[in-house]
């Protein structure tokens, strides 16, 4: 089954689809129709292949599986190396799962330049899959940066009123963080002689060196996640992007920051990670409480959900830096859950936006009277976002807090207040939009979900409930790899955190503790 | 007095060939008149092609001729190939423009050929006099072509400015050469190197100040030629004013040749003074990167924007030189090769900016190009992202190698400044993409844009986009070339 | 987990920077959750507002099942609580306070369902302080009987509301007992059970709780006993106030409504009858729950030997056993006096004791307090952080600030390019001069 290069296929199939779309001829309507179909079928096939991958996945080992290697720049020790382990395989699946949903969701919403839109999405999909399946650091970087191009175009061409500002902000902010990451890669390459990730994981770096490298990587991942205070690009980008763009941005792109921490910062720089953990905790707690409060006061639905994403990712980083299995598994699970839930939330906003063309909460009210199915979907997803047990949101959060309680009870307490605020703004949003009297004229003729819309919500709702009620299949796959990661960080930690502290100026070390 | 022996002409075959051909073609032009311009252009391209082949079969090891004044090695082969490609492509690209904009005179391709010859001589120079001869041949030809559109005020201004400032820089060069000659007694690079290492250091551990001052003046002149800060002031005005094919030529070939010269001079005769000139290079590099990043932000004229961007690119290339290692030089060469391709592609797009017979130069004229001319827009977008250094496009790899070399030498601050300016500079590149893709469409450009432009666009676009797949030829060529400078 | 509790007892847990007894922390935190679920004092504000929902929903979840989950939690975790005496003390205190607190509010409410809601709150307090004195069985017993009569009261109220054409305000009711006699009778049964009149179910469960509190012989136990007795008076008072205002006196509704008053259909009254049966017999039938040395609960409830309040409840003095009944009767008589005999009197008292009246009527101003302490600051903070924080500071220093700085630098730098050749030449020469000076000085 797996003697064919399955990972390369999954990675580059969307690119092939994009090339194919380029060749489509005909008048505008034909091109549009064919582009949509090609894009949809390509992404569905990619999803199918990814499912094969999961079914064939060996959950008993933490080794990388489905590895492919081809020399690329052999004299430099840089190769074309793909592979997945328990940590990355689900992100792959999430990506291939969300892209077809995105394409279905924008079937009618995107009317202009459909061909370019589909091409951009497929290219983006290749880049995203490439990020998660790369086992070579330079390749990872190329895919990581490469997504900026299609995302920039998606926001800027098909976005809202302030799309240009948001597109610039997104591009330049992310680029700035990433170029420092590049320097770190170069340094590591020059020291280790290779950019191969498994090889680099076995390298031991001096704690002082680890600090700078960790900070360089932090610059990139903190902007991507985003962590407070590097988060301000997110509300703008989410609000101005077209619905499908927001879905992909929230669903996948944000996870790359977390994945980066998991794949690079924790295993390769464990001493520095341990040293900076209080720093990360502080930023995360601030993020959770700050952005939840801000979300409370938002008038624009998409902006509210954008800020809630920042809060959720804050909880994720709390989990990742606990260095125990529950916290990290919780963090990964929460990332997966958030990928599905926030994707669904943006689609929910997209549904009413398609009808009313407003994102303002004040434009809505009493929708339950005309759109009961929609209200039901919205309710399930709202509850998942809040983290109600039986939804996927609960499992992740619970594990994270179990994990962090063992490390620092203050962080647990403060993080949980964020959860309370999360319930506050989500339920308030729900009430203002769905419940109440239906008084506005333009809402009196609003229609409930169409078949197509039910088509893309159903898998999301089912997945949310499945993950919440029976998370075992997911946690099983994660478990061995996470245990391995925890063991790596424990073993490699040579008490270096203190050495790091000694090297920094006293005041700075005290401030960071 | 050494016995007179015939120099080994074969080593200098490409140059001799080109010299002969240019004179012949000049005569042809004189007799056939201006209507032969098209024919002459093609003949020049063919001649350059032949020279290209001759260069490739030349010697890869360090071999000198003309009493050591002329050197041929794999470094010179690499650079000459780039220069010849650049010159030939520029000639091809510019044919349409030349015909339409009243530049249809036979002197144009001939002058380009002369300039190319000068560049080849510069690259192979192994002596201060040879350096000067080659440099002047190139410069004089360029002064004239910059002002080629006699009826255009801006073109004449460009040419004149270039001439005046160029003359100043030539003066500085000669002054520097004379200082070096005075303090070492030689003009040949190999001899100077030996003399400096023998001079050793005086009692205070410092180098004779005269050599240092000479080095500074020579560097200043060469920096002028590559348009590095603070000797760059001519670049924006001249690039904007000169006719577009000439600007394309400026941005491609002379920069390469001058950089080659810079590398050879600093790493050849003056390699003992590395710690000294390294400081100059670091300063120039940072200043160029910074200026290139900031000054282009508010520009409205695309040629001026490219001028500033090229200043920035030279700054990045100089980072590789600042490292002072074979990896550094390798980085410079890779960067220059990729830069040249991107530059030619960009200018092909600019040459396509024509509406109702009128050539356009403002960035806002590109508005909504993705709807009216999607192919050109796509190509230009590829070049812009590549210039910004976004992977997986070629420009990223150029930056990768120079920064790798810098980090290897522990020059972390330089690398950090480099990447930060790169991020700042990315803004104006993506602004062009924004104008093309996000803004409302203006009127379409004239179609068709001509086979010569299309072929250049496709060729350079493909190389830029797919460089990552097969970078080995360039990488290995650069590696071999760099090794030669560090015997 | 429960099996290991005795081993963990006495160990310490680092919580929020201080070392606390582990089980105490655990149990207090669990209890806070239970407080929220069962609408205990401080976390009670949601229950009355939840009355806006349909009456059957109120009957089910806000009377019988959902809100009792908190009590269930505490009783289920008795193996843990038994080892955390401080937690038990907290439970007792909160439960007792809730019992009296909610009752004081119920006597002034005008919405029929709200009265019953606060009554629920108060009764839950009883259940909690029963658990607090380690009489978990008593708490569970009261939970069971309470389910019957409270659901009966709610559904009865629903029947009344249905009869009054969806009117819920008791001030607009009155004089309908003849028109809806079945509902009237059933409400009487429910109220008798609630007040703890002998032989109805509430009598058995409420009495054993109060006896246990007394028998606990601790300060808090006595506090709980006192609060429970006081609440019992008020319970009887507001229950009969409700009956009298709703069913007796001159009709205060308009003619149209009065004309429409009718008994509910069997589909509504049959469940009521079933519940009434339960309200009468469940106490008697389920007495084994709290029997002396009864084996009813098996090992599901753990009571440490020295927490013998429930045992002691069987041996208290007669006056302790009789007091709840006596005060219930006092309450009923008081209600009759105030609302039947001298109906103008309550108004006068309310006027004379206006601050007290308002304090009770406005639910001790908790809603306003929480709004002032939590809701408004949160909104204010959220808005400020958004506009000043994100917009002003973060964006100002970050993206927007850097962009503005870059643009400003760009403008300055471009001015260098003056266009004059001699300026350019000057800069070139100046550059050379600077570099040479550098070397001359620094070698």
């Amino acid at each position: 089954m797996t003697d064919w290069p399955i990972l390369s296929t999954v990675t580059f199939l969307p690119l092939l689809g994009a090339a194919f779309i380029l060749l489509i001829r005909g008048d505008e309507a034909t091109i549009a129709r064919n582009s949509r179909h090609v894009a949809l079928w390509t992404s569905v096939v990619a999803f199918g292949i990814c499912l094969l991958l999961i079914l064939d996945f060996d959950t008993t080992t933490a080794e990388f599986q489905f590895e492919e290697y081809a020399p690329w720049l052999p004299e430099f020790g840089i190769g074309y190396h793909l592979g997945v382990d328990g940590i990355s395989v689900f992100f792959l699946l999430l990506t291939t799962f969300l892209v077809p949903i995105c394409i279905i969701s924008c079937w009618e919403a995107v009317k202009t330049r459909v061909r370019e839109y589909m091409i951009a999405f497929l290219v983006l999909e290749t880049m995203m899959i490439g990020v998660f399946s790369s086992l070579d650091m330079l390749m990872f970087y190329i895919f990581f940066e490469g997504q900026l191009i299609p995302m920039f175009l998606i926001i800027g061409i098909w976005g809202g009123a302030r799309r240009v500002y948001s597109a610039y902000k997104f591009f330049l902010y992310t680029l700035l963080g990433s170029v420092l990451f590049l320097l770190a890669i170069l340094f590591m390459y020059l020291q280790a002689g290779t950019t191969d990730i498994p090889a680099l994981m076995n390298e031991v770096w001096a704690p002082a060196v680890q600090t700078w490298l960790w900070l360089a990587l932090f610059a990139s991942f903190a902007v991507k996640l985003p962590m407070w205070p590097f988060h301000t690009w997110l509300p703008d980008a989410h609000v101005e992007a077209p619905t499908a763009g927001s879905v992909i941005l929230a669903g996948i792109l944000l996870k790359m920051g977390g994945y980066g921490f998991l794949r690079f910062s924790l295993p390769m720089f464990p001493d520095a990670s341990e040293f900076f953990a209080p720093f990360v905790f502080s930023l995360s707690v601030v993020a959770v409480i700050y952005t939840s409060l801000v979300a409370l006061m938002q008038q624009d639905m998409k902006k509210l959900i954008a800020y809630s994403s920042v809060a959720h990712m804050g909880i994720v980083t709390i989990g990742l830096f606990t260095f125990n299995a529950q916290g990290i598994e919780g963090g990964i699970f929460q990332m997966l859950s958030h990928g599905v839930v926030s994707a669904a939330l943006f689609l929910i906003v997209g549904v009413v936006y398609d009808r009313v063309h407003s994102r303002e909460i004040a434009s809505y009210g009493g929708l339950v009277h005309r759109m009961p199915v929609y209200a039901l979907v919205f309710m399930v997803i709202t509850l998942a976002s809040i983290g109600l047990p039986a939804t996927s949101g609960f499992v992740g959060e619970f594990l994270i807090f179990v994990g962090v309680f063992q490390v620092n009870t203050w962080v647990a307490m403060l993080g949980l207040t964020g959860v309370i605020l999360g319930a506050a703004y989500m339920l308030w949003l729900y009430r203002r939009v769905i419940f109440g009297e239906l008084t506005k004229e333009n809402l009196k003729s609003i229609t409930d979900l169409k078949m197509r819309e039910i088509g893309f919500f159903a898998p999301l709702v089912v997945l949310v409930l499945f993950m919440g009620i029976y998370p075992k299949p997911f946690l099983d796959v994660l478990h061995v790899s996470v245990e391995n990661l925890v063991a790596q960080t424990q073993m490699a930690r040579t008490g270096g955190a203190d050495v790091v502290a000694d090297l920094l100026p006293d005041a700075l070390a005290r401030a960071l503790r | 007095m050494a016995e007179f022996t015939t120099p080994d002409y074969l080593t200098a075959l490409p140059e001799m060939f080109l010299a002969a051909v240019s004179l012949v073609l000049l005569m042809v032009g004189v007799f056939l008149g201006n209507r032969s311009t098209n024919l002459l252009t093609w003949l020049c391209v063919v001649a350059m092609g032949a020279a290209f082949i001759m260069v490739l079969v030349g010697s890869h090891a360090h071999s000198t001729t003309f009493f050591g004044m002329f050197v041929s090695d794999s470094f010179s082969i690499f650079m000459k190939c780039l220069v010849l490609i650049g010159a030939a492509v520029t000639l091809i690209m510019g044919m349409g423009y030349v015909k339409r904009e009243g530049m249809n005179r036979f002197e144009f391709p001939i002058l380009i050929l002369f300039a190319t010859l000068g560049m080849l001589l510069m690259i192979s120079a192994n002596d201060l006099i040879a350096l000067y001869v080659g440099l002047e041949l190139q410069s004089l030809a360029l002064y004239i072509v910059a002002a080629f559109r006699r009826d255009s005020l801006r073109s004449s201004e460009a040419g004149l400015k270039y001439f005046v400032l160029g003359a100043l820089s030539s003066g500085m060069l000669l002054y520097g050469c004379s200082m070096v000659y005075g303090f070492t007694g030689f003009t040949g690079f190999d001899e100077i190197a030996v003399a400096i290492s023998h001079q050793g250091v005086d009692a205070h551990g410092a180098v004779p100040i005269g050599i240092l001052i000479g080095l500074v003046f020579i560097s200043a002149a060469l920096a002028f030629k590559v348009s590095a800060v603070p000797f760059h002031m001519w670049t924006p005005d001249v690039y904007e004013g000169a006719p577009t094919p000439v600007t394309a030529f400026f941005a491609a070939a002379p920069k390469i040749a001058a950089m080659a010269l810079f590398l050879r001079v600093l790493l050849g005769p003056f390699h003992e003074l590395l710690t000294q000139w390294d400081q100059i290079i670091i300063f120039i590099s940072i200043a160029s990167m910074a200026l290139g990043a900031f000054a282009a932000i508010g520009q409205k004229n695309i040629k001026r924007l490219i001028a500033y961007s090229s200043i920035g690119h030279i700054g990045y290339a100089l980072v590789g030189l600042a490292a002072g290692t074979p990896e550094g030089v390798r980085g410079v060469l890779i960067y220059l090769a990729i830069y040249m391709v991107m530059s030619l592609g960009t200018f092909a797009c600019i040459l396509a900016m024509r509406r109702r017979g009128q050539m356009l130069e403002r960035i806002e004229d590109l508005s909504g190009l993705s709807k009216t001319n999607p192919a050109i827009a796509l190509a230009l977008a590829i070049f812009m992202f590549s210039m910004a250094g976004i992977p997986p496009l070629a420009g990223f790899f150029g930056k990768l190698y120079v920064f790798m070399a810098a980090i290897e030498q522990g020059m972390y601050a330089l690398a950090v400044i480099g990447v930060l300016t790169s991020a700042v500079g990315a803004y104006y590149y993506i602004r062009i993409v924004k104008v093309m893709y996000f803004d409302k469409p203006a009127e379409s450009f004239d179609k068709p844009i001509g086979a010569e432009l299309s072929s250049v666009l496709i060729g350079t676009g493909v190389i830029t986009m797919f460089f990552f797949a097969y970078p080995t030829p360039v990488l290995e060529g650069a590696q071999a070339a760099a090794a030669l400078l560090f015997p | 987990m429960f099996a290991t509790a005795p081993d963990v007892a006495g160990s310490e847990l680092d919580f929020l920077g201080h070392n606390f007894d582990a089980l105490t922390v655990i149990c207090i935190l669990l209890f806070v959750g239970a407080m929220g679920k069962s609408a205990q004092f401080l976390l009670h504000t949601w229950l009355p507002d939840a009355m806006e929902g349909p009456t059957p929903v109120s009957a089910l979840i806000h009377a019988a099942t959902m809100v009792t989950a908190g009590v269930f939690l505490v009783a289920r975790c008795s193996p843990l609580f038994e080892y955390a005496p401080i937690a038990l003390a907290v439970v007792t205190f909160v439960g007792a306070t809730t019992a009296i607190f909610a009752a004081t509010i119920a006597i002034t409410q005008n919405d029929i369902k709200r009265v019953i809601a606060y009554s629920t709150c108060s009764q839950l307090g009883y259940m909690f302080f029963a658990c607090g004195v380690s009489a978990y069985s008593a708490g569970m017993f009261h939970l069971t009987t309470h389910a019957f009569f409270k659901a009966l009261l709610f559904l009865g109220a629903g029947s009344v509301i249905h009869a009054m054409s969806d009117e819920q305000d008791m001030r607009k009711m009155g004089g309908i007992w003849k028109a809806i006699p079945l509902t009237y009778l059933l409400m009487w049964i429910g109220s008798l059970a609630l007040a703890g009149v002998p032989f109805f179910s509430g009598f058995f469960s409420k009495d054993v709780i109060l006896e246990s509190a007394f028998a606990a012989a601790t300060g808090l136990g006595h506090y709980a006993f006192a609060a429970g007795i006081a609440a019992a008076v008020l319970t009887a008072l507001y229950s009969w106030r409700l009956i009298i205002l709703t069913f007796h006196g001159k009709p205060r509704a308009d003619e149209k409504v009065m004309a429409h008053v009718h008994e509910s259909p069997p589909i509504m009254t049959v469940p009521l009858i079933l519940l009434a049966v339960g309200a009468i017999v469940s106490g008697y039938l389920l007495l084994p729950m709290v029997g002396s040395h009864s084996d009813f609960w098996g090992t599901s409830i753990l009571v440490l030997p020295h927490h013998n309040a429930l045992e002691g409840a069987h041996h208290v003095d007669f006056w302790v056993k009789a007091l709840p009944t006596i005060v219930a009767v006092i309450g009923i008589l008081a209600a009759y006096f105030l609302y039947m005999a001298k109906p103008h009197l309550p108004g006068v008292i309310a006027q004379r004791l206006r601050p007290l009246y308002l304090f009770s009527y406005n639910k001790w101003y908790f809603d306003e307090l929480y709004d002032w302490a939590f809701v408004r600051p949160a909104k204010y903070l959220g808005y400020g952080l958004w506009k000043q924080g994100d917009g002003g500071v973060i964006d100002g220093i970050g993206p927007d600030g850097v962009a503005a700085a870059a643009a400003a630098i760009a403008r300055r730098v471009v001015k260098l390019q003056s266009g004059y050749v001699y300026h350019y030449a000057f800069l070139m020469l100046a550059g050379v001069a600077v570099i040479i000076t550098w070397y001359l000085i620094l070698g």
Side-chain angles (χ1 to χ4, degrees), chain A residues 173-206:
Chain A
Y173 214 150
T174 316
L175 184 67
L176 191 64
S178 303
V179 287
L180 294 171
F181 182 27
L182 177 66
L183 292 183
I185 294 179
L186 290 174
F187 183 87
M188 289 165 72
Y189 163 69
L190 287 166
Q191 297 278 68
T194 173
T195 50
D196 199 54
I197 292 178
L200 285 173
M201 283 194 191
N202 291 329
E203 281 279 321
V204 175
W205 309 91

Side-chain angles (χ1 to χ4, degrees), chain B residues 93 97 100 244 345-355 358-360 366 369 373 376 444-450 453-454 457:
Chain B
M93 280 203 304
Y97 183 98
R100 285 187 304 263
T244 312
T346 310
F347 276 103
C349 295
I350 299 178
L351 280 169
M353 286 167 69
R354 185 166 52 93
R355 187 178 291 146
Q358 184 84 336
M359 289 303 298
L360 303 168
L366 289 167
L369 194 65
N373 298 80
I376 302 180
S444 167
F445 292 158
D446 292 343
K447 292 182 212 199
I449 56 172
L453 277 183
S454 311
L457 269 179

Side-chain angles (χ1 to χ4, degrees), chain A residues 22 72-73 75-76 78 112-113 116 127 138 141-143 145-149 152-157 163-164 167-168 171-172 175-176 179-180 182-184 186-187 189-190, chain B residues 330 370-371 385 388 390-393 396-397 400-401 403-404 407-408 412 415-416 419-420 422-424 426-427 430-431 433-434 436-439 468-469 471-472 475-476 479:
Chain A
L22 262 179
W72 177 25
L73 300 169
E75 61 276 3
F76 297 109
I78 301 176
T112 56
R113 307 167 79 169
E116 284 87 351
M127 298 292 179
L138 192 62
Y141 184 79
I142 291 179
F143 282 122
E145 283 300 278
Q147 327 147 15
L148 290 180
I149 302 180
F152 176 69
L153 293 173
I154 290 174
I155 298 178
I157 303 181
R163 62 187 190 275
V164 176
Y168 277 143
F171 191 95
L172 294 171
L175 184 67
L176 191 64
V179 287
L180 294 171
L182 177 66
L183 292 183
L186 290 174
F187 183 87
Y189 163 69
L190 287 166
Chain B
R330 175 189 74 189
S370 56
K371 290 215 179 96
F385 280 124
I390 311 288
L393 301 167
F396 166 72
F397 289 93
L400 182 74
Y401 285 103
F403 288 130
M404 196 191 297
I407 291 194
E408 200 173 14
Y412 302 124
V416 169
V419 291
L420 289 178
S422 166
V424 172
Y427 166 70
I430 66 175
R431 184 164 65 102
V433 176
K434 170 247 181 200
M436 288 195 298
Y437 280 87
F438 304 170
D439 286 353
F468 68 89
T472 329
L475 293 185
E476 283 180 357
Q479 181 109 344

